[in-house]
Amino acid sequence: MVDARPRVLTDEQRFWLTTIPPDLSHKELVRYYTLSPDDIAFIRRHHKDENRLGIAVQLCGLRYPGRRLVELLPIPRNVLAYIAGQLGIAPDLFQHY
């Protein structure tokens, strides 16, 4: 059976709504992915650095672009580095999350 629902978004529009752009400027990284002191306190309650980084990335992804982590993979390297840097965690640990 053919889906009769109208398509509101093109495939390209849908892609950009479910992807973190790899070419975000430093200003955009700061705007979208800066963790607050409350965020950091919450993240620090989790065990192991890879879990802390994973929680931080999930939290940031829910804020922008408003998607769950499984909908955003892969996470651009510059975004991982920015988030990890705020926590003093190596970005490579994300692969173990």
Side-chain angles (χ1 to χ4, degrees):
M1 177 178 256
V2 176
D3 187 359
R5 292 178 291 175
R7 294 198 58 152
V8 177
L9 301 173
T10 66
D11 289 339
E12 182 178 0
Q13 290 169 325
R14 187 172 287 105
F15 173 79
W16 286 112
L17 285 173
T18 60
T19 304
I20 297 174
D23 58 349
L24 290 174
S25 69
H26 181 72
K27 183 178 179 179
E28 290 168 320
L29 284 172
V30 170
R31 178 178 181 190
Y32 298 130
Y33 299 115
T34 296
L35 300 167
S36 72
D38 287 340
D39 294 337
I40 292 172
F42 170 73
I43 292 162
R44 293 262 183 239
R45 286 187 270 174
H46 294 81
H47 297 285
K48 296 186 178 182
D49 283 346
E50 56 265 28
N51 290 336
R52 291 182 188 110
L53 182 54
I55 294 294
V57 171
Q58 286 192 63
L59 182 63
C60 290
L62 285 171
R63 291 181 180 159
Y64 177 80
R67 298 285 184 240
R68 298 174 304 140
L69 184 59
V70 296
E71 297 173 306
L72 293 175
L73 295 175
I75 306 297
R77 183 86 179 135
N78 61 333
V79 173
L80 272 178
Y82 182 75
I83 295 169
Q86 295 174 76
L87 300 170
I89 297 172
D92 291 341
L93 288 177
F94 185 72
Q95 66 187 334
H96 300 293
Y97 179 66

